[in-house]
Amino acid sequence: MKRILFCIGSLIVLVFGGMATINYLVDPGHIYSTDYIDQIIEGVRNGYNVERSSKNMDERLYKAKLAEIHNGEHFDFLAIGSSRVMTVSKDALNGSSLLNLGVSSCKLEDMISYLQICKCNNICFKNIIVSADPPLFNESYGDSRWKSIYNYCDELNGIGKDRGIDWEKIKQLVSPSYFQASFADICDMVIGKNKINYVTSYINDGFANRTDGSIYYDKKYRDVSQDVIDDRAANKTYASYNNFDSCSRERIELFEKLIAEIKNSDAKLFFLTLPYHPFFYKRVLNMQGAYESIEYINNFSKENDICVIGSFNPDDVGFTKADFYDGGHVKKESIDSLILNSLFYGVK
Amino acid sequence: MTFTSFEFLLFFPLVVLLYNIIPQKLRMWYLLVVSYVFYAFMQPVYLVLLSAVTGITYGFTRWMGATEDDDKKHKIMVWGIILVLLPLFFFKYFNFVNESIFSLLSLVGVQSTVPAIKWMLPVGISFYTFMAIGYLIDVNNEEVEVEKNIGSVGLFLSFFPYILSGPIERAGNMFPQLKKMPTSQPTDFTAGLKLMLWGYFMKLCVADRLGIYVDAVFKNIIQHNGNTLAFATLLYPIQVYADLGGYSLIAIGAARCMGIKIIPNFNRPFFATSMSELWRRWHMSLINWLTDYIYTPLSFVLRKWKVWGIVCALMLTFLISGIWHGAAFKYILWGLLQGFYLSAEALFQKRRLDVENKFELKKRWWYVFLSCLVVFVLFAFSQIFGKCSARSGLAVVEKIFTNRGLVFIDKTTIVYSVIALIVMFVKDFRDEFFPGKMRFFESKYFAVRYVSYLTIILLILLFGNFQESQFIYFQF
């Protein structure tokens, strides 16, 4: 029995110890060290776009730091929301200034935090674009990445009062999923792919973080055939839409509080309801919660006289499959034309 | 808390440790409490239901034990079975029966007045209901003695390794073990852990990986061509085998760590050379239950019809099997298809045997290979109706035969799945045709065993799908 226990014990130590070590040293999500983020911030602060081969990092922390370097500035537009708004750049705003604080799988807590961050840093906006997407109301989606910036999220409804240890980061040390990402990154590290470049153009081979906070996808993701895009739309699983059985009442209440706060400020509010790829739109309509959320967003904006840019239904805005990178992400050029037409050229 | 959750990895070692520490007399009650706590993590409110089924089973078996008259005993058994079946009918079949009846009545203008029930299906209800019924019948047939200790009956029905998705255990196998409650022996402990390790590999690396692709295709039947649907159809039974087979191994292994031996559930089903053999290797606990309590009595009653009696018994047995799997026409269709396969085999069995013996086909590797392939394809085809609704299933079948195109390949998922599948297949192949050869987990050299364990753990960590996933058989 002693031999068995030794075997088990040594396996546990080897496996978990090895996993934790590799996860910490490789750190594919750059969550244990802020050097990576600091390098990007440095580039952006100096007016460069930043090209990187790895998309992974603590986006929330990056956007918080991005806001901090714009302390005391005034912008024409603020954009907050999910990855669907992250490609909205100043190119879509007819030369207006923009600070894009969108983050992947944005939750309401993220939006609240970023508004707080801007307030704390005396950043003013004339207009606020909120990407009002159905997953905001999906209670089942338990992403807790917003906790990375919990410091800022304590004024509305007592959210984020829990300022304990960030257990998520500790859990990632022994996370098999993180280990898989670490293993993939080891190969990139060996061949020197995991680097950051300061560039002037935002169109590069790698993923680009632009000076206004927006992003531009890497070549591998954007330059694919329409069949691949359609496959992504038809088959890819989007975690924030999982188990989307109903539109959460609690999420609605929080959302309405957030919108009331924005309306009470001096900024004009816009809802950005970007269309879905036609294939993905069909899937979304079959999700009870997503369907209810779309109905709610449309009705809420009408009842509260909020200006809406775009529509979830691609047919409403004349979008085809060719306007998308995947199920939910519109091509930059298509976003630019949609927003320019809606906001500046008066084209419906 | 599922077997693949982090909480279970903390829960289980603690349970085993305490099991070996506490006095033997208290172990049965300890495991009963642990099993109820485990179930409470899933659906605490349905503990009341589990307790009720336990109480009814215990009460009726004690009543049968106190009755001398066989007819009266039989009547008590029937009433016990009806009462035990009521919750299953209520939660699982009520809406289906209600909707079906009113669909028919609406044809003559009668509208539905009975609302649907929107309560969640209690996890494991199909499994513990069948175990309770089996126990009632065994007591009636005097195959097992009446268990006087309600704690034993409670533990038999709720034992945490098998309550959620089986195997469907028998009173005759469990009660003697539950009386002994031995301390974990090193051989049982290591055997149990090896089974669990292999079960996790099957579940996380094969089943969950394949599930990404199979689910993506079957959720978007309209978008995919016939070739893609055919490919996903062939992968689905492998996914189910790895899922339920893996889960069963974890359950069997967990019990084995405590010295309790649970019946096996799968025996390398894809090496079956006939459908009847496949059903002797696939979900064995369910099929043995159906054979002992449905098929055998039915075929005895219908024995005068000779081979047609067998056919009727097979069709009815698999119809019940289909209904057990779920309250939908697709499961009935699935069950009838299995019954049809087996009936066709029964009708042509003699002729097939004659041909096989005449040409000594069973010794020819290509014949064995072809037989396995044909059985696999037929089984995969029937599984379409396990995956989709009846209407979608028919649409899939139509597309497979009429709609050509390039197969949609999700490279990462398929590559990972294929690697894991090859490992699983090689192990099954070795066990089937070369048992005792190339022993890794069972090697006499400690270093070989150690490296084998480490390799499988690494494969699980590198290829496993760790997103939230439920075992396919959870809602049964």
Side-chain angles (χ1 to χ4, degrees):
Chain A
M1 199 64 168
K2 275 183 196 167
R3 201 177 191 188
I4 294 164
L5 292 172
F6 166 77
C7 184
I8 293 169
S10 63
L11 276 172
I12 289 172
V13 168
L14 255 175
V15 167
F16 283 101
M19 204 158 62
T21 305
I22 290 174
N23 283 348
Y24 184 79
L25 289 176
V26 179
D27 194 14
H30 309 285
I31 59 177
Y32 300 111
S33 159
T34 57
D35 288 351
Y36 189 80
I37 292 172
D38 290 341
Q39 283 182 58
I40 301 171
I41 291 292
E42 193 56 34
V44 166
R45 190 207 302 268
N46 290 312
Y48 290 102
N49 297 308
V50 178
E51 181 199 3
R52 33 191 197 100
S53 52
S54 165
K55 287 179 211 165
N56 290 320
M57 68 169 174
D58 187 342
E59 267 174 355
R60 281 143 175 86
L61 200 56
Y62 163 64
K63 289 291 170 86
K65 290 188 174 215
L66 182 70
E68 283 173 353
I69 64 170
H70 292 294
N71 189 303
E73 290 183 34
H74 292 233
F75 287 86
D76 295 320
F77 285 90
L78 165 70
I80 50 173
S82 70
S83 52
R84 279 158 47 81
V85 82
M86 284 168 79
T87 37
V88 172
S89 66
K90 56 192 177 198
D91 304 334
L93 298 168
N94 207 25
S96 309
S97 57
L98 164 72
L99 181 60
N100 187 321
L101 296 181
V103 288
S104 300
S105 300
C106 181
K107 293 189 80 169
L108 290 168
E109 286 82 351
D110 291 306
M111 289 185 180
I112 294 165
S113 299
Y114 286 120
L115 288 170
Q116 290 299 317
I117 289 170
C118 293
K119 215 172 171 178
C120 291
N121 286 280
N122 299 310
I123 305 172
C124 302
F125 305 97
K126 288 183 191 161
N127 305 281
I128 296 179
I129 297 175
V130 171
S131 179
D133 288 318
L136 288 174
F137 308 101
N138 184 5
E139 193 72 68
S140 306
Y141 182 51
D143 191 291
S144 60
R145 281 178 281 180
W146 63 269
K147 287 188 180 174
S148 149
I149 46 168
Y150 64 73
N151 294 47
Y152 302 96
C153 198
D154 61 355
E155 288 211 11
L156 260 175
N157 210 33
I159 293 165
K161 286 242 190 268
D162 172 24
R163 296 179 182 212
I165 299 166
D166 190 351
W167 287 107
E168 274 307 311
K169 285 192 180 172
I170 294 174
K171 267 170 78 173
Q172 292 305 313
L173 280 175
V174 290
S175 158
S177 311
Y178 207 62
F179 180 69
Q180 289 173 358
S182 296
F183 199 76
D185 259 29
I186 285 174
C187 305
D188 284 344
M189 273 169 69
V190 165
I191 60 176
K193 260 182 84 175
N194 227 352
K195 285 189 176 150
I196 287 173
N197 295 321
Y198 297 157
V199 292
T200 46
S201 166
Y202 63 86
I203 303 174
N204 305 287
D205 287 350
F207 190 84
N209 286 102
R210 300 183 62 180
T211 52
D212 56 12
S214 66
I215 59 163
Y216 196 69
Y217 285 114
D218 57 302
K219 193 174 177 176
K220 204 176 160 187
Y221 199 75
R222 61 176 196 262
D223 284 357
V224 291
S225 67
Q226 191 59 49
D227 282 342
V228 171
I229 292 172
D230 293 344
D231 276 334
R232 286 174 185 163
N235 301 305
K236 193 177 164 185
T237 307
Y238 295 89
S240 52
Y241 292 82
N242 279 352
N243 304 315
F244 203 168
D245 302 323
S246 63
C247 183
S248 163
R249 191 70 240 158
E250 283 155 1
R251 295 274 102 192
I252 285 176
E253 283 169 15
L254 187 58
F255 175 75
E256 289 178 1
K257 261 190 188 159
L258 167 67
I259 298 303
E261 275 283 312
I262 296 174
K263 288 188 98 178
N264 281 340
S265 70
D266 297 327
K268 184 172 179 193
L269 173 64
F270 293 91
F271 274 178
L272 181 63
T273 54
L274 287 171
Y276 292 110
H277 183 292
F279 292 174
F280 191 67
Y281 184 58
K282 274 190 201 153
R283 288 169 68 186
V284 164
L285 290 180
N286 282 326
M287 299 173 201
Q288 184 61 25
Y291 178 81
E292 286 173 10
S293 301
I294 288 173
E295 294 284 300
Y296 164 74
I297 291 163
N298 290 337
N299 291 335
F300 180 84
S301 54
K302 273 186 203 142
E303 284 161 13
N304 292 274
D305 200 29
I306 296 169
C307 184
V308 176
I309 307 168
S311 168
F312 296 113
N313 185 347
D315 293 337
D316 288 349
V317 293
F319 274 28
T320 66
K321 298 184 291 184
D323 291 301
F324 296 88
Y325 289 124
D326 56 38
H329 298 101
V330 182
K331 286 182 176 170
K332 178 206 177 291
E333 299 73 23
S334 305
I335 288 183
D336 289 351
S337 87
L338 175 70
I339 295 176
L340 279 168
N341 286 334
S342 296
L343 284 186
F344 300 99
Y345 304 150
V347 176
K348 299 254 175 195
Chain B
M1 178 174 26
T2 62
F3 281 177
T4 50
S5 65
F6 187 70
E7 291 80 17
F8 183 77
L9 293 179
L10 298 173
F11 169 86
F12 179 68
L14 196 63
V15 165
V16 174
L17 179 69
L18 288 174
Y19 172 83
N20 286 290
I21 290 172
I22 62 169
Q24 194 171 5
K25 273 185 283 191
L26 297 176
R27 282 177 186 161
M28 189 265 297
W29 294 104
Y30 163 72
L31 281 182
L32 179 63
V33 168
V34 161
S35 297
Y36 269 58
V37 165
F38 179 80
Y39 195 79
F41 268 96
M42 304 294 296
Q43 296 170 325
V45 66
Y46 290 130
L47 279 174
V48 174
L49 186 62
L50 179 59
S51 310
V53 169
T54 303
I56 292 166
T57 309
Y58 175 75
F60 276 73
T61 49
R62 288 295 306 267
W63 193 3
M64 281 197 278
T67 306
E68 297 291 332
D69 184 277
D70 283 347
D71 278 341
K72 191 178 175 192
K73 209 191 257 187
H74 185 81
K75 279 180 190 153
I76 296 167
M77 177 198 74
V78 167
W79 278 106
I81 289 172
I82 289 170
L83 283 176
V84 156
L85 271 172
L86 273 177
L88 182 65
F89 172 77
F90 181 72
F91 282 99
K92 197 165 177 177
Y93 302 108
F94 176 83
N95 287 340
F96 173 65
V97 171
N98 186 39
E99 281 161 19
S100 302
I101 291 172
F102 280 104
S103 292
L104 287 169
L105 289 175
S106 68
L107 294 172
V108 291
V110 177
Q111 297 305 316
S112 169
T113 54
V114 182
I117 293 168
K118 290 181 181 175
W119 294 355
M120 200 161 43
L121 182 65
V123 177
I125 188 171
S126 301
F127 294 94
Y128 65 71
T129 300
F130 264 33
M131 289 200 289
I133 292 172
Y135 177 43
L136 283 160
I137 296 173
D138 286 346
V139 165
N140 178 64
N141 295 343
E142 293 177 3
E143 284 176 19
V144 295
E145 281 181 18
V146 175
E147 177 53 53
K148 293 192 171 80
N149 186 332
I150 192 171
S152 287
V153 176
L155 182 56
F156 165 60
L157 294 179
S158 67
F159 192 35
F160 76 90
Y162 59 55
I163 186 173
L164 299 180
S165 290
I168 300 170
E169 258 296 353
R170 303 296 189 90
N173 183 46
M174 288 304 292
F175 282 134
Q177 297 189 80
L178 298 181
K179 280 188 188 352
K180 284 183 196 163
M181 289 288 156
T183 308
S184 301
Q185 296 303 308
T187 45
D188 285 330
F189 192 64
T190 47
L193 287 179
K194 285 176 200 174
L195 287 168
M196 289 179 79
L197 184 60
W198 190 248
Y200 278 114
F201 175 78
M202 286 175 71
K203 167 66 182 157
L204 292 169
C205 298
V206 182
D208 287 355
R209 275 287 166 200
L210 281 176
I212 297 171
Y213 179 82
V214 171
D215 287 348
V217 170
F218 277 104
K219 272 182 188 163
N220 292 292
I221 291 167
I222 298 168
Q223 310 296 353
H224 290 290
N225 60 48
N227 288 351
T228 304
L229 289 167
F231 186 51
T233 298
L234 292 175
L235 291 178
Y236 181 58
I238 302 172
Q239 181 201 345
V240 178
Y241 165 53
D243 194 286
L244 187 56
Y247 176 93
S248 299
L249 283 178
I250 297 169
I252 294 166
R256 188 74 186 269
C257 286
M258 292 176 279
I260 297 167
K261 290 182 181 154
I262 295 179
I263 53 177
N265 220 6
F266 287 84
N267 183 22
R268 303 179 290 281
F270 299 132
F271 291 106
T273 54
S274 66
M275 286 305 291
S276 50
E277 190 185 350
L278 178 115
W279 279 106
R280 287 194 294 274
R281 294 170 176 249
W282 179 278
H283 207 173
M284 298 188 312
S285 64
L286 173 66
I287 218 59
N288 288 340
W289 193 99
L290 288 169
T291 304
D292 291 346
Y293 300 118
I294 309 282
Y295 175 73
T296 304
L298 260 179
S299 55
F300 181 76
V301 163
L302 300 172
R303 65 192 181 283
K304 286 182 183 162
W305 296 359
K306 296 195 178 146
V307 71
W308 294 106
I310 292 172
V311 166
C312 285
L314 281 169
M315 294 300 288
L316 274 165
T317 302
F318 277 93
L319 176 64
I320 292 170
S321 172
I323 292 170
W324 178 88
H325 278 83
F329 283 114
K330 66 174 185 173
Y331 292 115
I332 293 174
L333 202 54
W334 174 89
L336 288 173
L337 205 47
Q338 305 306 320
F340 170 75
Y341 285 154
L342 287 160
S343 301
E345 253 184 29
L347 288 170
F348 292 100
Q349 189 186 23
K350 193 176 177 309
R351 246 175 269 187
R352 181 181 170 173
L353 277 171
D354 288 342
V355 171
E356 281 175 352
N357 290 335
K358 186 177 176 184
F359 296 103
E360 291 185 337
L361 291 173
K362 287 221 155 175
K363 292 179 186 172
R364 317 251 181 229
W365 68 266
W366 54 265
Y367 179 77
V368 171
F369 173 74
L370 272 172
S371 303
C372 291
L373 192 64
V374 168
V375 166
F376 176 75
V377 169
L378 285 174
F379 184 65
F381 178 83
S382 70
Q383 289 288 68
I384 292 172
F385 300 99
K387 185 67 177 162
C388 313
S389 67
R391 191 176 290 180
S392 299
L394 291 169
V396 169
V397 171
E398 194 209 341
K399 272 192 136 178
I400 286 173
F401 288 107
T402 60
N403 187 238
R404 296 283 153 254
L406 281 176
V407 178
F408 160 65
I409 298 283
D410 173 0
K411 278 191 201 140
T412 314
T413 304
I414 294 295
V415 165
Y416 281 23
S417 306
V418 164
I419 293 171
L421 196 57
I422 288 171
V423 172
M424 184 178 82
F425 178 76
V426 164
K427 190 225 176 248
D428 278 359
F429 187 84
R430 182 214 61 182
D431 289 344
E432 180 72 17
F433 297 109
F434 304 100
K437 306 277 185 207
M438 289 195 324
R439 295 157 75 92
F440 293 106
F441 278 14
E442 300 85 19
S443 170
K444 56 183 179 178
Y445 302 109
F446 174 72
V448 172
R449 295 198 306 273
Y450 194 88
V451 168
S452 307
Y453 304 147
L454 198 56
T455 305
I456 295 297
I457 291 171
L458 273 174
L459 284 176
I460 290 170
L461 290 175
L462 287 172
F463 293 119
N465 179 17
F466 292 95
Q467 287 161 26
E468 195 65 49
S469 66
Q470 288 252 329
F471 295 104
I472 289 171
Y473 273 70
F474 245 21
Q475 284 296 308
F476 288 100

